[in-house]
Amino acid sequence: MIFTLRDAIDILIVAYVVYRVIRSLQGTRATTLFKGLAVIFAGSVVARALSLRTVSWLLDQATTLVLVALPIVFYPELRRGLEQIGRGQLFSWPLGRGPGREELDLDAVCRAAARLSSAKTGALIAFQRKTGLHEYIETGVKLDALISTELLLNIFEPGVPLHDGGVIIAGGRIISAACVFPLTDAKLSGGLGTRHRAAVGLSEQTDAVVVVVSEETGVISLAVGGSLRRYLTESRLKEQLAFYLQGGEMA
């Protein structure tokens, strides 16, 4: 069989489509679930090789159950993928954010937090990390805007329709505002209200890093892994955000 130019083009097209699909799934729950599928598949192969019939049967049933549940679990991701195809974004070449873009984004968020703190204006800003936040993005108003101090100040201005709820930042953009976050069941210290409970709740259920500004005291806090770090200055907030968003974990 002769390998022709047509075969090469065929392989390149398939490889590019698979690459774009993988990129679209990065930073979502799908990544973790696919890892789980890989473990089940590897276990099934090993069980068959060792003739472990009961284990093989259990893993086969688990695989079937997971495959049936995939369309339900991945509904937000599937819809987003179809929307990208409709807008022609699936096949567009990914552009970098440019040198120093992350630094500018953090500066903008930290300046906004400091100004909101001075004015004692409540705020709730979540940064998506590895775990997707699409189910919470869907509860808010889609923006898909560049990060700027002015935009964040306008969003949290009292009386503005987007004031209540949280902002979600992912991929260097403000994805959605007025989002509803899950409230924690943990007992927080006195004086901490719904915003703090929502910040801690989201950080418990996902790996998001959440900035919260108290409306009563103006105190800036950061929720990570279900814990709340309070009384942060602008510079300290930037330092903490840079650490966690670069993959740092709580000690």
Side-chain angles (χ1 to χ4, degrees):
M1 186 175 183
I2 301 174
F3 186 81
T4 65
L5 178 61
R6 182 179 297 177
D7 295 327
I9 293 173
D10 187 26
I11 293 172
L12 287 173
I13 290 173
V14 172
Y16 182 72
V17 170
V18 171
Y19 165 73
R20 290 315 306 261
V21 169
I22 292 173
R23 275 189 63 89
S24 69
L25 293 177
Q26 281 183 332
T28 69
R29 293 176 302 170
T31 305
T32 305
L33 290 173
F34 272 120
K35 289 179 181 177
L37 275 174
V39 171
I40 292 175
F41 178 76
S44 180
V45 171
V46 172
R48 282 193 175 90
L50 298 177
S51 299
L52 303 176
R53 288 178 294 177
T54 305
V55 175
S56 295
W57 180 84
L58 286 174
L59 291 175
D60 288 342
Q61 300 309 307
T63 302
T64 302
L65 180 62
V66 169
L67 291 176
V68 170
L70 281 180
I72 300 172
V73 175
F74 288 155
Y75 172 73
E77 286 79 8
L78 290 172
R79 186 176 69 178
R80 184 161 61 95
L82 291 173
E83 288 174 350
Q84 288 180 345
I85 293 174
R87 293 193 297 263
Q89 293 180 357
L90 184 64
F91 302 102
S92 61
W93 188 256
L95 298 176
R97 294 176 56 198
R101 184 70 228 182
E102 289 85 356
E103 183 81 12
L104 293 175
D105 291 344
L106 287 185
D107 283 339
V109 172
C110 294
R111 278 198 305 270
R115 289 172 62 175
L116 290 166
S117 173
S118 298
K120 289 189 177 180
T121 299
L124 189 60
I125 305 170
F127 287 84
Q128 177 178 292
R129 293 204 286 175
K130 293 181 181 179
T131 304
L133 301 178
H134 298 294
E135 61 186 287
Y136 305 110
I137 290 171
E138 295 296 326
T139 65
V141 177
K142 298 286 185 64
L143 296 180
D144 193 19
L146 289 173
I147 300 171
S148 72
T149 300
E150 293 73 20
L151 179 55
L152 289 170
L153 292 176
N154 284 327
I155 288 173
F156 292 111
E157 180 70 24
V160 172
L162 300 180
H163 170 71
D164 288 328
V167 161
I168 293 178
I169 292 176
R173 298 181 71 84
I174 298 176
I175 302 299
S176 191
C179 301
V180 178
F181 296 164
L183 303 181
T184 181
D185 293 326
K187 186 176 180 181
L188 303 181
S189 58
L192 300 183
T194 304
R195 280 191 183 87
H196 293 83
R197 297 185 68 82
V200 174
L202 185 65
S203 72
E204 285 176 337
Q205 297 193 21
T206 71
D207 64 351
V209 179
V210 190
V211 178
V212 56
V213 179
S214 172
E215 188 172 344
E216 288 74 24
T217 64
V219 170
I220 300 173
S221 305
L222 191 68
V224 185
S227 297
L228 198 63
R229 297 171 182 260
R230 304 189 65 199
Y231 304 104
L232 299 177
T233 62
E234 180 180 348
S235 59
R236 183 61 176 161
L237 174 63
K238 181 180 177 182
E239 180 184 304
Q240 291 279 296
L241 283 175
F243 172 75
Y244 288 116
L245 295 179
Q246 290 171 6
E249 299 296 337
M250 293 191 65

